[in-house]
Amino acid sequence: ISIKLHFPAFKTAVNGRVLNIGRGGMFVMLNENFPNVGSMTSFQIIFDQEQMRLIEGEGIVRWTRMQISENFKTGCGIEFQFLTDECRKMVIELINQIKTKAFIPKT
């Protein structure tokens, strides 16, 4: 599976609960075409109004949520396997800035 998302800003994506980043991966909201747990995925997430304009790499789908539960949206948790050189440093800075304890966030 390949995931490509485009947002005005990181804060917009997080506030809309469409995307969230943790220490080892990310949550991506999906409404359909859920990937199989254990499958590899490539991802490209573009932000228009940020210093970090792109999160790009590959990961493994660790879990899926196909029904809304406890106010959590449907989607999947992806464990980072590879981040491109261009975005790796900025993703680490973002994770440190957020100060999240989650490895792969639920929202």
Side-chain angles (χ1 to χ4, degrees):
I1 185 172
S2 179
I3 297 171
K4 186 171 183 177
L5 302 170
H6 197 129
F7 300 104
F10 179 75
K11 188 174 181 177
T12 304
V14 172
N15 287 346
R17 297 173 61 183
V18 176
L19 173 76
N20 203 353
I21 293 185
R23 293 179 292 118
M26 64 184 170
F27 165 79
V28 177
M29 187 189 89
L30 298 171
N31 291 320
E32 56 187 25
N33 299 326
F34 294 94
N36 293 324
V37 172
S39 64
M40 288 293 295
T41 182
S42 62
F43 50 86
Q44 184 180 57
I45 304 166
I46 301 165
F47 304 101
D48 292 332
Q49 303 168 7
E50 301 287 339
Q51 180 181 357
M52 178 183 63
R53 311 274 283 160
L54 177 68
I55 298 175
E56 185 174 36
E58 296 177 347
I60 297 174
V61 176
R62 293 299 182 192
W63 53 264
T64 59
R65 184 182 312 117
M66 296 183 207
Q67 295 181 358
I68 295 174
S69 76
E70 301 175 27
N71 298 322
F72 294 134
K73 296 191 177 205
T74 58
C76 66
I78 300 170
E79 181 181 357
F80 296 139
Q81 294 295 301
F82 168 78
L83 294 169
T84 61
D85 292 339
E86 295 80 20
C87 75
R88 187 175 301 118
K89 181 180 176 189
M90 289 193 186
V91 169
I92 291 169
E93 289 173 6
L94 179 62
I95 291 167
N96 289 335
Q97 182 182 28
I98 296 170
K99 296 181 179 157
T100 182
K101 293 182 181 178
F103 187 73
I104 301 174
K106 292 184 178 184
T107 61

